[in-house]
Amino acid sequence: MTIIDVAAAGSSMVETVGGKAAGLGEMIRAGERVPDGFCLTVAAYRSGELPEQELIDAYERLGGGRVAVRSSATTEDLPDAGFAGQHDTYLNVEGHAALLDAVRRCWDSLHNERATAYRKAVGVDDAAMGVVVQRMVDAEVAGVLFTANPVTGCRAEMVVDAAPRPRHVRRGRHGRPRPLRLRPPRGADGGGCLDRRRLAALRDAGRRLQAHFGTPQDVEWAFDAAGTLWLLQSRPITTLFPAPPATRDTRLYLEVGHMQGMLRPVTPMGMSLLKAAMGVWLESTGGRFDRRDPLPRVVPIGGRLYFDLTDFLRNTSMRGQLGASLEVYGPRVREAVDRVLDDPRFTPRPGLPFRLGSAVRMTLRLAPGLVAGVAHSLAAPDAGRARAYRAVHRMRRDVVPPAEPATAAERLRWVIEDAHRPLRTPGLYGLMGPLVAGMLAGTSPAGLLAGVASAEELDVVLGGMPYNVTTDMDLALWQVAVNARRHRELFLGTDPAELAARYRAGELPDIGLDGFLGRYGMRAAAEIDVGMPRWAEDPAPLFGTIANYLRVEDPEQAPDRRFELAAARAERMIRTLAPRARLARPVRGRLAVFLMRRSRKLTGLREIGKFAWLPMMQESRRQLLLIGADLAGRGLLEEAGDVMFLDLAELAQAVRHGEDHRPLIARRRAEYARELRRPTVPGALLSDGTDLEALAPPSVPAEDGVLVGMAGAAGRATGRARVIRDPAGARIEPGEILVAPTTDPGWTPLFLTTAGLVTETGSAIAHGPTVAREYGIPAVICVRDATRAIRTGDLITIDGGAGTVKVERHG
C-alpha cells in the first residue's frame, strides 16, 4: 500500500506515513477541521521507486488544482524531535509534472545538510520519508500558535505568530510573535489581523489540541476568506523544559545541581537514593521528616535538582535577606529573584518556612560539637585535619555489604536501611568541624580585608592548596601518566574505550592504574548520581586524560610543577599581605593573616565530605546492579542497568511482588536521553513553567566580541578554546582554554593542562572556580550560552577578575 487518505492515519502509524501525516490524521479523528489530502507512505520511499500513476490518480481524486506537498518523515513531529523547517514543503503546486517533481524534492530533503545535522544532534540514526499532499487553503491570515510560551516556558500563556495573506506559511516569517493569554485583557485585538472572534477560536483550538495530545503544541493554522479556521499541523513543542509538578499556588524553584557542577539529569534511582541518604542524616540530627519524601523542598524537574524557595520568599523577615545568600547562584538568578519579590503572588504570609521544634533540636544536637570542632581545628589545624582523615577511614570501614550469597530482597534492604548508616556515626561529626573551619578560613579574609587586598590577591592565597582529595587524585593520575611515557605511542594512538577493554582483560602494561583505582575508583563525572558508572567500572575517561597529560612537553607546564608554583605564589602573597593588613587594620588584619595561614592547612578539606560519602554510593550501586541482574534473569528487566530508572519504592515492588516496570523504564530512558541533549537548564523556574531568566533583558556586551559573565578565579589567559560538553573521552591540548556548561570533580583532571576555564553556570563557591583558584588558573563563570557563542579553535582572552571573555579571532 503506497497511498493512504490522511483521514485514515493516526498516532500509531508514524512508521507507515511519517510524523506529520500521523498528526494530521489524529487531528481529524479528534474532530478538527483539516484540509483534505492523502499520504504517499514510507514504503514507497523505501522501495526507491516513485509510483507516478498512483500519485496522479490520487491527485485527481482530490480534485486536482493547487495543493501543498509536505514532508512527513518518520522522525518528524515527535515528542523529543520536532524537525521544524528541516525538510522541504512546497505550496501552490499544480499539475501532474509539478506534483511529481515536488514529491521527489521532499524525498531528497531527508538527506539535506540541515536535516542530517539535526538528526545527528538529536541522536537519530534511521529515518524514512512519507509525503503529504493536501488541498491548499486560500488563506486570508495564517500563522503558528504555541499553546505554551516557547521563549519563557510559561504554560499559562499562549503565543500566536500571524501574517495577513501570507504567500508562504513558514514559521518565523510572520512578524513579531504576539502573546495570547488564556484570558486576553479587554481591548486586545490581536494586532489587527486577528480579531476577538479569531483569537477565541485559536485559543479554543489550542486547548483542545493540548488536551488531546497531552502536551503543549506548536500548531500551524489558517483562516480563509469566510473566516473558517483550518488546522494545518500540530506537533509537540520540543524546546520546553519539563514542567514542575502541579501545585495549588505559584511556586519558585532554584536549580541547585550546578552548585556541585552538575547540569546533566540525575537518574530516578540517583534522585531516590540522594533523598534517602539525606533522610538518614536528618534522622541522626533529630530532625523530623516524612520517610516517603525526606526532602520535600528538593524537587526533581527534568531530572534536575531544584529547591523550592517559595516559603522563604513569603516570610517577612527572611525575604529581605535572600539577596546576599543568592550571590552564589550568579547575577542572572539573583536579579530574577529580586523581580519576583514585587510579584503579588509572593506576598508575605504569616508563619515560618520550617518546623521550629525540629530546627531547635537540630541546632542543640549539632551546634556544640560543631563549634568545638571548628575552634579546635583553628587552634590545632594539623590535629583537626588528622581527625578528619580518621573519620573518613572509619566511615569507609563501616560500609559493610550483605553477606554472600544474598537475595535481591536482602540486597535491597541493605541499600535502603544500612548503606548510609555511617552517616549516623560520630565519625561524620568529627569530619564537619575541620571542614567548616577550612571553609571559614578560606572565605573570611575577603570580608576582613575589603579595600585592603584585591580579589585577585586573595585568589592567589588559595592557589596550590594542599590536602585536597580531588587535587591529590589529579596529581596521582598525573603520576600514572608519567609511568605511561614508556608506552607513549600506545596510549596516544589507541581509543580510550579500547584501552579500557584491554585493561579489563589484563592486556596493558602496568602503569600504576590498579593502585589509582583502588583509591579513587569510586569517582566519576556526575558522581553524586548512583546511576553513573564509576571509574572502577569504566576507566575509559581516565585513559583520555592520560593521553592529554602525555601531550605536555614543556616541563614548566607539567601539572605537578604548576601546582608547586601556585603553592609558592600563595605563600609569597601571604607574606606580602601580612604587613599591609596589620598596618591598615591592626585587629582585623591580624585575624585575616591568621586565617590565611590556617587556610593553607584546612581549606583543602572542602572536598572531603563528599569523598567520605562516595564509598557508600559505590557499594549501593554494586548492590543495585546485582538486584538488576536478578530481575533481568526473571524477565522483569531488559538488563541490569534498567534498575537505575526506577526509584527505591518501585524497585521494592519489583523485588517483592514481581511487578513488571519495563514500559515505565523505556519511557524514562527516552526522557533521560532527551534531557542529556538539552543545552541549557533554567536556573530559576516558576511552577507554571516560566524560566525567569528568559524574562530578563538581554545582556549587553561590554564591547563587540566580549561575553560578560562573573568573576570566578582571578587572572588573565589567552589561548584556543576547547568546547567540551562531556568529560568522558574529552581531549584538551596543553594551553587551551576549557569552555564547558559546568564542571564537577570528574572534570578536574582536565584542569591540570588547561590555561583557563569558562563555564555557563556556577557560583564563586562552586566546584569549578574553586578548583581553578587552587590550581592557579583564571576562570570566568555564568557566561550565558558560552558553549554556543564560542567554538573550538577560537582564540579567546579571559579575564577572571573582570568576568569577561573576549573572542579575539574565530578559528
Side-chain angles (χ1 to χ4, degrees):
M1 182 168 55
T2 56
I3 302 290
I4 293 178
D5 193 271
V6 167
S11 58
S12 64
M13 299 177 66
V14 171
E15 293 300 319
T16 303
V17 297
K20 186 179 278 113
L24 290 169
E26 196 65 31
M27 283 196 290
I28 294 171
R29 293 184 183 196
E32 303 295 344
R33 187 180 291 107
V34 174
D36 291 339
F38 61 87
C39 178
L40 179 65
T41 66
V42 170
Y45 173 84
R46 293 194 187 278
S47 75
E49 296 292 332
L50 187 66
E52 296 184 1
Q53 192 57 51
E54 289 182 65
L55 271 171
I56 291 170
D57 291 345
Y59 173 66
E60 291 300 331
R61 287 196 300 272
L62 192 61
R66 293 183 301 119
V67 294
V69 180
R70 313 173 70 191
S71 64
S72 181
T74 53
T75 54
E76 212 167 328
D77 296 359
L78 303 182
D80 58 349
F83 279 84
Q86 305 303 316
H87 304 126
D88 289 345
T89 285
Y90 298 93
L91 306 179
N92 295 304
V93 175
E94 189 169 6
H96 298 172
L99 171 68
L100 298 177
D101 181 63
V103 171
R104 288 191 181 96
R105 288 174 180 268
C106 280
W107 276 7
D108 292 343
S109 72
L110 184 67
H111 297 291
N112 66 38
E113 186 176 347
R114 63 179 182 271
T116 301
Y118 187 93
R119 282 197 298 275
K120 182 178 179 181
V122 299
V124 173
D125 296 323
D126 184 45
M129 181 69 78
V131 179
V132 174
V133 179
Q134 287 178 284
R135 300 291 309 167
M136 282 293 300
V137 175
D138 188 9
E140 184 176 87
V141 58
V144 181
L145 171 73
F146 298 94
T147 66
N149 191 314
V151 176
T152 68
C154 179
R155 268 65 166 187
E157 185 177 66
M158 294 188 187
V159 174
V160 64
D161 187 9
R165 298 194 178 277
R167 293 178 61 195
H168 303 283
V169 180
R170 190 167 292 182
R171 58 193 63 250
R173 299 287 180 87
H174 314 300
R176 184 174 179 176
R178 178 181 181 84
L180 169 62
R181 296 186 181 278
L182 293 178
R183 292 184 176 85
R186 292 181 181 275
D189 63 2
C193 61
L194 291 176
D195 58 21
R196 279 186 166 276
R197 182 184 64 80
R198 287 175 172 174
L199 282 174
L202 284 171
R203 182 183 63 240
D204 292 345
R207 285 173 171 167
R208 292 193 304 270
L209 289 169
Q210 181 165 302
H212 180 78
F213 288 106
T215 186
Q217 296 290 296
D218 165 356
V219 184
E220 290 187 12
W221 54 268
F223 283 102
D224 62 19
T228 301
L229 173 62
W230 295 88
L231 300 181
L232 310 177
Q233 185 169 328
S234 188
R235 71 176 98 203
I237 305 176
T238 59
T239 57
L240 292 177
F241 190 71
T247 55
R248 289 176 295 179
D249 61 352
T250 302
R251 316 291 295 180
L252 171 64
Y253 305 99
L254 297 187
E255 201 278 327
V256 297
H258 77 278
M259 301 296 288
Q260 281 294 327
M262 182 171 173
L263 286 183
R264 66 179 295 141
V266 180
T267 60
M269 183 58 72
M271 194 77 70
S272 185
L273 200 64
L274 278 172
K275 288 201 170 194
M278 289 306 299
V280 170
W281 183 79
L282 285 171
E283 188 176 48
S284 73
T285 64
R288 291 183 180 175
F289 59 92
D290 185 344
R291 284 186 173 274
R292 293 169 299 181
D293 188 1
L295 297 175
R297 281 199 175 87
V298 176
V299 181
I301 306 173
R304 278 76 177 190
L305 296 163
Y306 280 81
F307 181 78
D308 186 347
L309 192 68
T310 311
D311 294 335
F312 296 88
L313 274 174
R314 288 175 175 159
N315 182 267
T316 304
S317 59
M318 292 183 178
R319 62 194 271 121
Q321 310 301 316
L322 287 175
S325 65
L326 293 177
E327 287 289 351
V328 297
Y329 278 90
R332 293 183 67 88
V333 170
R334 177 173 177 173
E335 290 164 8
V337 175
D338 285 343
R339 290 195 300 273
V340 165
L341 291 174
D342 297 324
D343 190 318
R345 293 174 293 181
F346 294 96
T347 300
R349 299 178 182 177
L352 292 171
F354 50 79
R355 290 193 182 102
L356 184 59
S358 287
V360 169
R361 281 191 300 273
M362 292 175 67
T363 301
L364 291 175
R365 183 169 295 190
L366 291 176
L370 183 59
V371 170
V374 170
H376 180 269
S377 297
L378 290 174
D382 293 335
R385 194 173 61 253
R387 187 166 62 253
Y389 289 150
R390 287 196 300 272
V392 172
H393 176 74
R394 186 160 53 245
M395 293 172 70
R396 189 166 191 168
R397 182 194 62 201
D398 288 345
V399 179
V400 181
E404 297 294 348
T407 66
E410 290 168 338
R411 296 186 195 281
L412 180 60
R413 187 203 60 77
W414 185 87
V415 170
I416 294 173
E417 299 179 14
D418 296 338
H420 292 92
R421 187 165 288 175
L423 295 177
R424 300 190 184 106
T425 64
L428 177 63
Y429 304 115
L431 188 70
M432 291 173 62
L435 190 156
V436 173
M439 294 173 64
L440 289 172
T443 57
S444 298
L448 294 169
L449 297 181
V452 176
S454 69
E456 187 166 356
E457 289 173 320
L458 293 170
D459 277 357
V460 171
V461 171
L462 299 175
M465 190 66 71
Y467 312 119
N468 185 314
V469 289
T470 299
T471 304
D472 292 345
M473 174 191 77
D474 295 339
L475 292 174
L477 187 58
W478 164 252
Q479 186 57 53
V480 173
V482 170
N483 298 340
R485 286 174 180 168
R486 299 188 302 274
H487 314 281
R488 190 172 189 273
E489 296 308 315
L490 169 66
F491 288 100
L492 278 177
T494 308
D495 182 78
E498 182 182 340
L499 287 170
R502 291 173 65 176
Y503 170 76
R504 287 189 290 265
E507 297 172 357
L508 287 184
D510 181 11
I511 58 173
L513 191 59
D514 287 353
F516 177 88
L517 291 175
R519 180 162 176 76
Y520 301 109
M522 74 283 203
R523 306 211 76 168
E527 61 195 5
I528 65 170
D529 181 2
V530 74
M532 293 298 294
R534 311 288 113 172
W535 286 339
E537 300 170 57
D538 179 15
L542 299 179
F543 286 111
T545 302
I546 289 169
N548 290 334
Y549 289 171
L550 289 173
R551 296 184 180 98
V552 176
E553 296 180 353
D554 182 355
E556 292 300 302
Q557 292 300 313
D560 53 353
R561 178 60 176 159
R562 291 177 63 182
F563 190 76
E564 176 187 316
L565 292 173
R569 285 195 300 268
E571 295 293 345
R572 287 197 301 271
M573 183 58 70
I574 293 175
R575 291 195 295 271
T576 299
L577 291 177
R580 188 198 310 172
R582 294 180 186 124
L583 181 63
R585 293 175 183 164
V587 176
R588 290 201 296 173
R590 282 176 168 76
L591 177 59
V593 174
F594 169 80
L595 291 172
M596 283 190 285
R597 296 198 183 283
R598 287 297 184 261
S599 74
R600 304 296 305 171
K601 292 179 176 289
L602 294 170
T603 300
L605 295 175
R606 68 177 194 85
E607 301 259 344
I608 204 168
K610 186 170 72 169
F611 187 77
W613 178 47
L614 288 175
M616 306 172 218
M617 182 72 72
Q618 183 184 33
E619 186 57 37
S620 294
R621 175 176 169 82
R622 191 175 77 88
Q623 296 297 324
L624 288 167
L625 289 174
L626 288 170
I627 296 170
D630 178 83
L631 294 177
R634 292 158 54 188
L636 296 175
L637 300 180
E638 297 296 334
E639 59 181 71
D642 283 352
V643 74
M644 300 304 172
F645 292 89
L646 299 173
D647 62 29
L648 287 169
E650 292 161 347
L651 181 57
Q653 292 173 336
V655 169
R656 295 167 185 164
H657 307 296
E659 189 160 337
D660 188 344
H661 291 299
R662 283 178 294 180
L664 172 65
I665 290 167
R667 186 174 74 248
R668 286 181 177 168
R669 275 193 176 276
E671 292 168 354
Y672 182 79
R674 180 171 67 246
E675 289 304 314
L676 279 176
R677 297 191 296 267
R678 188 173 297 280
T680 59
V681 176
L685 197 64
L686 293 183
S687 51
D688 65 7
T690 301
D691 176 357
L692 288 175
E693 291 182 79
L695 298 177
S699 299
V700 179
E703 57 182 278
D704 286 346
V706 175
L707 306 174
V708 179
M710 180 178 171
R716 289 172 60 87
T718 298
R720 296 288 177 185
R722 176 71 66 171
V723 179
I724 298 175
R725 293 186 173 275
D726 188 331
R731 170 181 172 178
I732 187 165
E733 298 283 352
E736 290 183 328
I737 295 174
L738 172 61
V739 181
T742 186
T743 62
D744 75 347
W747 289 74
T748 56
L750 297 175
F751 284 29
L752 291 185
T753 53
T754 187
L757 173 68
V758 178
T759 63
E760 294 179 324
T761 64
S763 72
I765 65 169
H767 183 271
T770 301
V771 175
R773 289 191 292 271
E774 293 175 0
Y775 286 10
I777 61 175
V780 180
I781 61 177
C782 297
V783 181
R784 192 171 177 87
D785 298 328
T787 59
R788 284 181 283 181
I790 302 170
R791 298 174 303 195
T792 293
D794 287 352
L795 183 67
I796 63 175
T797 294
I798 67 172
D799 187 329
T804 59
V805 180
K806 182 175 179 59
V807 180
E808 306 280 358
R809 185 170 63 254
H810 288 298

